Amino acid sequence: MWSDLLDSLTPAQREAVEHLEGPLLILAGPGSGKTRVITHRIANLLRHGVPARAILALTFTNKAADEMRARLERLAPGEPVWMSTFHRFCSRLLRQYGPLVGLRENFTIYDSSDSRNVLRRTLDELHIDAVLYPPERIASAISWAKNNLITAEHYQARPGHPLGSVVAKVYPAYQARLLASSAVDFDDLLLHVASMLRESPETRSALDARYRYILVDEYQDTNLAQYTIARALSIDVPNLAVTGDPDQSIYGWRGANLRNILDFEQDYPAVRVVKLERNYRSTKRILRVADTLISYNQRRKKKGLYTENDEGQSVGLLAYATQRAEAESISAYIAEGIRAGRRRPRDFAIFYRVNALSRSLEFALREEGIPYQMVNGLEFYQRREIKDVLSYLHLINNPRDDNAFLRVINTPPRGIGKSTIGRLAEHAARYQHSLLDAARESGLIESLNKRAAVAVAKFVSLYDRLSLMAAAPVEEVLGHVLSESGYQQFLRESEDEEDQERLANIEELLTAARQFDENNPGEGRLETFLEEACLVNETDAWQADDDRVTLMTLHASKGLEFPVVFIVALEEGLLPHERSREHNELLEEERRLLFVGITRAREELQLSLATYREFRGQRRRTVPSQFLMELPRGEMRVVEPSWNDPAWVTEDEMPWEADAPETASEPEIKLPVASGPISTTPLTTAAKLHGTETAELPHTSPDAFHQGMVVRHPEYGLGKVVALSGSGAKRSATIAFASLAGQKKFMLAQSQLRPAKSL
């Protein structure tokens, strides 16, 4: 069987898979099967007797880790190899080794908005003007320092830099607040582990011995902290295998250091280098366009990309009069392909450099009745109601979490105002208590009047009741939080339409909790659920099976592929971004970003720009992206605006003529009909097209019950569902009855409960 698996690999892939001992650098071009190589290599290590616990595979997104895990399960069922993102791996290490850096095992991970709140409170405490020194700039400076392994104690401002002097004051105070709350921000996860490995030789040596074979995917995206962690774990046993492509390094703004992969051979002189140059994804024309573009970069390792796929149709290069014309033309083309049965909505993706460019595209897709999904997995967890509810869970898990306490103490409103919270904060600071501990002593705080002290005491009582549920299934904990806190009732009784949408979002969170419970049986799961919620990636919300057009940024498109790709707004200031104008390294990264977008396309690719674009409140005439000058015109189909303002003068230069009159009509550009295989599964109903097809559940099914539902029991009468857990025959519900029966728990499949509305 194993020989058959090896036979399916190319010679280059097989060379990488069969390399066992010593460092390995796999230079993998786009669509070259690197995930296949990684998983086959792990299976080969297992086949040679390497224990699963001795192998560690690290990547950058949860989806990539899940994909690797699923593929390995097919190759080597039941082998529990640890496959994780860097941040999740570091989080798990800190749960075990946290005391070495001053953390408790139940520490909270703050997302960017939470850490920004802590930073603002730190600025207030230090009496620093947030207008003169914006929190965003200070946060960026602290993040840069952490990514470069500069701790608060060692940060020094450069002479003559006022902001640096402020950061030197804020950084230590901010870090002290985090530690007092037993909390970390994203950058701390890496910084703490890197510091621990550097300062504790015994821990480093033990982990080096434990993880004898380390594989790092997307190595070109590692920053100094990630580089340090991978190096530290590969000193005694240097079996470090990294996979990456300098041409796809697009996260310099996050601290990614391209030198990590460019200098790998200097770090490990005994390294074996394997190049994966065959592309399995794109047509020849698309690949030639991408290869020509990226050849203009200097900081790279040259590869000879090739494919045995079809020649394919020409790459479209279209110039529109306005972004509205651009959006309408793209939407019309998508709609025509769907109606003709050649394509499904999920076959199409539209990429842009910044999220602000999505508005006109969304409008045009809605006008055509085309279902679409916006890819931003972070967005769901940034919604107010989701952060409110999760803050309750964070406080249950970590009573020292002051940030969570501040968010929930008066949510929903309990008559606890800012002055009361301020007096609690003063008391906490005076005695070095957490805010929750200060709240427990509210009756002893002289500055609090009786009404305020009673309101705070009631909140503490609520917290104590909820904390007793900490070991229950997460869906059940959530249900009790929503019911006992009054949060769900508060939204349900609101006349604000947005609050009804918030209720729907909470239902979605309950569904996520239920799925988590099903995948993670056992007790003590709350901490893990919160960790997963905090470490969500941008593309985690993207559903490949959803029959919807995908809209996403070019950065988010990394690692994905689609039959048809549109890349819009190839204009100076947008792509390349205006920040790269005077910095060649940034310009090269922008070129790599376009390269990544182009190589997501399998069969069709269209690049476009608009002569006029409304952006940031201004209507302006655009300048074509300089990258368009670098594309091989022989591989492309160029379409100009239909009015008298030619986009292309010669093959070598593309200046626009004088400004067109304001009354110029918008062009009517008909894109060529796509060639290629016809879909054998056309859409048959409008419900399917709009993603509204649902199956009605029988009213007696355990799955028909939901949080907050009014139910009837033949003995206890009317009640309300306050918590749910489990699924199928094991699904249970806690019901709060209006009668003296109080709360009771039922196994739904065996109970006589029925939804009240059906009786």
Side-chain angles (χ1 to χ4, degrees), residues 380 383 385-386 491-492 494-509:
F380 177 76
R383 291 170 178 161
E385 61 277 11
I386 300 303
L491 292 179
R492 185 173 284 121
S494 171
E495 296 180 0
D496 189 337
E497 290 185 8
E498 290 186 3
D499 283 339
Q500 303 313 305
E501 293 181 12
R502 293 186 177 105
L503 272 174
N505 291 333
I506 287 174
E507 289 291 337
E508 190 174 342
L509 183 64

Side-chain angles (χ1 to χ4, degrees), residues 2-19 26-38 40-41 44 272 274-281 304 306-309:
W2 179 249
S3 61
D4 293 341
L5 291 174
L6 288 180
D7 290 342
S8 67
L9 303 174
T10 65
Q13 290 176 335
R14 184 164 182 164
E15 180 184 359
V17 166
E18 293 190 312
H19 177 83
I26 304 172
L27 293 173
S32 60
K34 67 179 177 65
T35 304
R36 176 183 178 86
V37 169
I38 293 170
H40 276 67
R41 185 169 185 274
N44 191 34
R272 175 178 292 186
V274 177
K275 293 184 179 182
L276 304 182
E277 298 170 307
R278 179 179 173 183
N279 178 287
Y280 293 88
R281 176 187 300 151
Y306 71 96
T307 183
E308 296 181 8
N309 293 341

Side-chain angles (χ1 to χ4, degrees), residues 423-425 427-428 430 438-439 441-449 453:
R423 292 181 178 110
L424 287 176
H427 183 82
R430 181 180 301 119
E441 300 172 349
S442 60
L444 304 176
I445 301 175
E446 294 181 358
S447 59
L448 285 182
N449 60 43

